[in-house]
Amino acid sequence: DQQVKQNSPSLSVQEGRISILNCDYTNSMFDYFLWYKKYPAEGPTFLISISSIKDKNEDGRFTVFLNKSAKHLSLHIVPSQPGDSAVYFCAASEGNNDMRFGAGTRLTVKP
Amino acid sequence: DAGVIQSPRHEVTEMGQEVTLRCKPISGHNSLFWYRQTMMRGLELLIYFNNNVPIDDSGMPEDRFSAKMPNASFSTLKIQPSEPRDSAVYFCASTLTGTHTEAFFGQGTRLTVV
């Protein structure tokens, strides 16, 4: 039962352009959403999060948007840099319990 | 704090053997998660503990998998007997429940069953 879905397994963008990664969820009880970044041979590292009481959270080049009615969130990276190339995982939890992840999207930023 | 510590980093074993993966969470954290990374399902939650008690083990694929958390600073994930399809990277993560903070991951254990 995939409660968190990332339907795009990969994304390729040009350096300097915007990267948009998408995530959908099915459980309306989720109240906290996170994005993690993972490099090869390393554990995932936290990138940015958003609470369900907000619809946008920004941190430097990274912005997460939440659309609760559509059960959809997205991560925008502007401008994209080659060092952003990694696998990005979307995660959701209810009260910080039971954190569920999507399948991941591999982002490649080309110089 | 050194972060979440997993051991071993790599494990190669023969089919049918018992495998034990170990995790030391961050001190003070009260929730611990075990995940398995696969190409198809990404980070698949196997089990999570809160205050050393297993809360949800519905993600454990089969009875061959078991997990324990005897105290707040140690957890194990055991596979007995192991099969080639168990080959994957297994991650442990910890967090402080109820604070809406991120979970911190270990570097993972790459398991290969031949």
Side-chain angles (χ1 to χ4, degrees):
Chain A
D1 177 24
Q2 285 282 82
Q3 298 184 49
V4 179
K5 297 178 183 179
Q6 293 176 256
N7 293 319
S8 298
S10 63
L11 174 68
S12 180
V13 300
Q14 207 66 36
E15 181 179 7
R17 299 290 183 102
I18 184 171
S19 295
I20 300 176
L21 298 103
N22 294 301
C23 178
D24 298 292
Y25 61 96
T26 58
N27 187 346
S28 58
M29 298 302 292
F30 286 144
D31 61 357
Y32 190 53
F33 305 88
L34 311 92
W35 285 94
Y36 280 78
K37 179 178 179 180
K38 185 184 180 304
Y39 292 117
E42 295 183 9
T45 56
F46 169 74
L47 186 59
I48 192 169
S49 64
I50 187 167
S51 166
S52 60
I53 62 173
K54 295 186 175 181
D55 54 19
K56 177 183 175 182
N57 188 26
E58 191 172 350
D59 183 2
R61 297 186 297 112
F62 303 90
T63 303
V64 56
F65 296 91
L66 175 63
N67 182 334
K68 289 186 291 293
S69 60
K71 294 191 180 69
H72 177 85
L73 65 156
S74 61
L75 174 68
H76 293 210
I77 306 173
V78 181
S80 302
Q81 299 173 354
D84 296 329
S85 297
V87 177
Y88 289 79
F89 289 98
C90 168
S93 70
E94 179 186 347
N96 214 34
N97 297 312
D98 201 7
M99 195 169 294
R100 303 282 177 171
F101 283 79
T105 297
R106 181 176 299 279
L107 173 66
T108 303
V109 180
K110 298 179 179 179
Chain B
D1 199 313
V4 177
I5 300 173
Q6 290 186 247
S7 64
R9 288 293 310 276
H10 303 274
E11 176 78 37
V12 180
T13 190
E14 290 186 347
M15 183 174 64
Q17 296 298 306
E18 177 180 296
V19 175
T20 300
L21 312 181
R22 296 173 177 80
C23 176
K24 181 180 186 307
I26 290 174
S27 177
H29 283 184
N30 63 349
S31 284
L32 183 141
F33 307 84
W34 280 101
Y35 291 92
R36 177 171 67 177
Q37 183 182 9
T38 63
M39 290 296 293
M40 290 298 296
R41 298 175 68 87
L43 284 167
E44 182 183 13
L45 178 65
L46 301 177
I47 186 171
Y48 86 95
F49 294 84
N50 184 248
N51 294 322
N52 312 337
V53 176
I55 303 300
D56 183 355
D57 65 354
S58 59
M60 298 285 261
E62 298 174 34
D63 291 345
R64 299 183 295 107
F65 286 70
S66 63
K68 293 182 180 178
M69 192 163 185
N71 57 62
S73 59
F74 184 65
S75 177
T76 58
L77 177 67
K78 185 178 292 185
I79 308 173
Q80 165 63 20
S82 58
E83 296 182 3
R85 60 194 168 116
D86 301 331
S87 298
V89 181
Y90 291 80
F91 287 102
C92 174
S94 71
T95 190
L96 189 58
T97 304
T99 57
H100 268 184
T101 58
E102 69 271 23
F104 293 82
F105 281 78
Q107 290 193 296
T109 296
R110 179 174 293 279
L111 173 66
T112 303
V113 183
V114 298

